[in-house]
Amino acid sequence: MKLITAIVKPYRLDEVKNALQELGVHGLTVSEASGYGRQRGHTEVYRGAEYQVDLVPKVRIEVVVEDADADAVIDAVVKAAHTGKIGDGKVWALPVDTVVRVRTGERGPDAL
Amino acid sequence: MPLAAASADTGDTAWLLAATALVLLMTPGLALFYGGMVRTKSVLNMLMMSFVSIALVTVVWLAAGYSLAFGEDAAGGLIGGLDHVGMSGLGPDSVQGTVPTILFATFQLTFAIVTAALVSGAVADRAKFGAWLVFVPVWALLVYVPVAHWVWGPGGWILERLGALDFAGGLPVEIVSGASGLALCLVLGPRMGFKKEAMRPHNLPMVMLGAGLLWFGWFGFNAGSALGANGLAAAAFLNTLAAGCTGLLGWLFVEQKRDGHPTTLGAASGAVAGLVAITPSCGSVSLLGALVVGLAAGVVCSYAVSWKFKLNYDDSLDVVGVHLVGGVIGTLLIGVFAVESMTGGAEGLLYGGGLGQLGRQLVAVVVVAAYAFGVTYGIGKLIDVTMGLRASEEQEQTGLDLTVHAETAYDHGVLGHGAPVSSSVVPHAQKVTPQA
């Protein structure tokens, strides 16, 4: 199994969710995140004083999928989150040893 | 000061009652204006400095402030007497002009309140709350009250002897608060992280709401200063609206040219700058004059707020840049735009009055600014060496809301219905549980 983590622009969240649903991914976790990449934040102006705000708001989407589905899921997320502008985000995958469904105690792929 | 009438005029009294309530509303409005501009960790402290000013100044005013400011002159136009200490001798039948004296005293009280609250903008985020509780009454008696007497008191040297004009408080309110704010922030020193960290306003909608309430109250401030429901009040009302608008537009114009963005904080600040500048002049200048006064304040004040970064004093919320500079602009421009139809005598440079009025305005500005700065600096230093003026480093870092007031303004945790995930009721709370 793989844990796929995607850091994307908040307004692309619905697109990513829809794309994952179409692939048959049953569940996901979304959390607010902030950070920066090459674009290094943005500038705000208050009474003529400029402030460089380096951390920009993002959402982090996490899903655990079977190894065979990982590439398709990554492709779907990248396609849905893509705008072509700077700050579109990152997607990465990590191996997962164990997954347990709390309600039933099922383990492994059955718990997804 | 109008001559005493036999009895109060009901129309004038009704208007001044309303105007007094409007001016009192300016202080909660200012609390929101200032509160939105500070960081989340000290918004409650900012609101509290305004709200306690209402309570402190009211008590001081009723005890002695009114008598010293508006009692019969006791010392060459410098201070009033003690005849009305504790409001003695003033009943429902006492009349000042065409309104009850106690209403006039209350109207003037609301000016003293908002002036004290204005000073708090210079000390945001770092003043000891206890020190503020001591500062306000002492400052009100030693700074506000004498200047109010000079300008509006019977026999006061500025209006009656010098012949300078100030309709609604450019000198006692705007210049005094600005110069006092400068003195106090010099004694305090800059906030931790000044010029290094971004100290952004935490809630701009709150700033806009506060600016709106200030503007609303300002009609009572300026039009109420006619002390009657009459044409002069109407003219002051329209001048106030006009100057607020050109102030707003002037500030936005500068921002668009300089920074590339017209900001909401700029719109609020520009309107306030225009209103500050028209305060002394609303009862003296033509409508054209009012439009120019507001525009000049909007443009100049938008540059003046950056002085603190160049000169290295941390006037947190720009009391100097907006109130001192705006007040000076408005007070001086009376010498340019005063019209005889409004003043009943004095004329400005533009209307054939020569340089005389401008000179008188300048003298008043310099003396009042120097007095307010000097005395406030002294009070600040005295408090600093005795009880301490500045909050501890830990309090400032953590935020004054939590460390001084044991409260936080916002609970934005999304877990457990908005409460932080670790929150629980401490056993101590049982001690205050009401008995069944």
Side-chain angles (χ1 to χ4, degrees), chain B residues 426-435:
Chain B
V426 292
H428 175 72
Q430 288 166 359
K431 279 203 279 188
V432 294
T433 305
Q435 298 297 311

Side-chain angles (χ1 to χ4, degrees), chain A residues 42 44-53, chain B residues 37 198-201 258-259 263 269 317-318:
Chain A
H42 60 259
E44 295 179 15
V45 186
Y46 298 98
R47 282 186 172 161
E50 284 196 3
Y51 296 102
Q52 194 63 37
V53 180
Chain B
M37 272 193 275
M199 297 178 183
R200 296 179 286 156
R258 183 183 58 192
D259 313 319
T263 68
S269 310
L317 308 182
D318 299 313

Side-chain angles (χ1 to χ4, degrees), chain B residues 351-436:
Chain B
Y351 297 95
L355 285 166
Q357 193 61 39
L358 190 57
R360 289 189 281 277
Q361 299 301 123
L362 184 62
V363 170
V365 163
V366 171
V367 173
V368 168
Y371 177 80
F373 179 87
V375 178
T376 305
Y377 195 87
I379 299 170
K381 272 284 180 203
L382 198 63
I383 291 177
D384 198 33
V385 297
T386 50
M387 64 184 295
L389 186 59
R390 186 158 181 155
S392 72
E393 218 169 271
E394 186 185 347
Q395 287 179 321
E396 190 177 333
Q397 198 75 269
T398 310
L400 298 170
D401 287 3
L402 194 59
T403 55
V404 176
H405 306 292
E407 294 173 300
T408 46
Y410 309 100
D411 198 340
H412 285 155
V414 291
L415 298 165
H417 308 289
V421 72
S422 60
S423 76
S424 58
V425 179
V426 292
H428 175 72
Q430 288 166 359
K431 279 203 279 188
V432 294
T433 305
Q435 298 297 311

Side-chain angles (χ1 to χ4, degrees), chain B residues 26-382:
Chain B
M26 290 175 76
T27 300
L30 181 77
L32 293 174
F33 181 65
Y34 277 175
M37 272 193 275
V38 296
R39 290 165 289 177
T40 316
K41 64 183 179 178
S42 52
V43 49
L44 296 176
N45 180 256
M46 200 68 239
L47 299 175
M48 278 287 271
M49 283 201 280
S50 283
F51 274 82
V52 296
S53 297
I54 299 177
L56 293 167
V57 176
T58 297
V59 172
V60 167
W61 189 258
L62 298 178
Y66 169 73
S67 188
L68 291 167
F70 290 97
E72 278 308 309
D73 188 63
L78 294 175
I79 195 77
L82 295 169
D83 298 347
H84 300 300
V85 163
M87 305 302 277
S88 63
L90 301 176
D93 296 331
S94 309
V95 174
Q96 164 91 33
T98 59
V99 298
T101 309
I102 50 175
L103 174 57
F104 173 77
T106 313
F107 180 64
Q108 292 297 341
L109 160 62
T110 57
F111 282 57
I113 290 169
V114 75
T115 309
L118 279 168
V119 178
S120 67
V123 304
D125 284 351
R126 64 201 188 286
K128 247 188 198 172
F129 188 64
W132 180 252
L133 297 181
V134 173
F135 171 80
V136 169
V138 175
W139 173 90
L141 277 176
L142 296 184
V143 180
Y144 184 83
V145 160
V147 177
H149 183 76
W150 300 352
V151 176
W152 297 315
W157 73 270
I158 288 184
L159 252 65
E160 293 197 12
R161 302 188 187 195
L162 175 66
L165 294 173
D166 182 354
F167 193 73
L171 294 161
V173 178
E174 310 301 351
I175 292 174
V176 159
S177 62
S180 299
L182 179 61
L184 215 49
C185 74
L186 288 177
V187 178
L188 265 178
R191 286 168 290 180
M192 290 167 76
F194 177 59
K195 295 212 289 190
K196 293 187 201 97
E197 290 171 25
M199 297 178 183
R200 296 179 286 156
H202 88 284
N203 189 334
L204 282 170
M206 190 192 266
V207 173
M208 298 303 273
L209 177 62
L213 288 174
L214 272 174
W215 200 336
F216 181 64
W218 227 298
F219 291 118
F221 203 82
N222 287 359
S225 290
L227 300 179
N230 52 37
L232 186 58
F237 196 113
L238 181 58
N239 279 349
T240 301
L241 178 57
C245 292
T246 49
L248 186 159
L249 294 172
W251 193 302
L252 287 188
F253 177 76
V254 170
E255 281 194 330
Q256 181 65 50
K257 295 288 280 182
R258 183 183 58 192
D259 313 319
H261 303 280
T263 68
T264 50
L265 183 59
S269 310
V272 170
L275 292 164
V276 163
I278 201 63
T279 294
S281 51
C282 62
S284 318
V285 302
S286 60
L287 186 55
L288 170 71
L291 291 164
V292 176
V293 164
L295 185 66
V299 169
V300 176
C301 292
S302 64
Y303 287 106
V305 294
S306 62
W307 292 351
K308 65 179 178 185
F309 298 113
K310 291 179 194 144
L311 301 174
N312 220 23
Y313 62 88
D314 187 12
D315 167 21
S316 322
L317 308 182
D318 299 313
V319 189
V320 177
V322 176
H323 293 273
L324 180 57
V325 174
V328 168
I329 289 170
T331 307
L332 289 181
L333 287 182
I334 293 173
V336 177
F337 292 107
V339 286
E340 205 262 338
S341 61
M342 295 279 283
T343 63
E347 282 183 324
L349 191 58
L350 198 66
Y351 297 95
L355 285 166
Q357 193 61 39
L358 190 57
R360 289 189 281 277
Q361 299 301 123
L362 184 62
V363 170
V365 163
V366 171
V367 173
V368 168
Y371 177 80
F373 179 87
V375 178
T376 305
Y377 195 87
I379 299 170
K381 272 284 180 203
L382 198 63

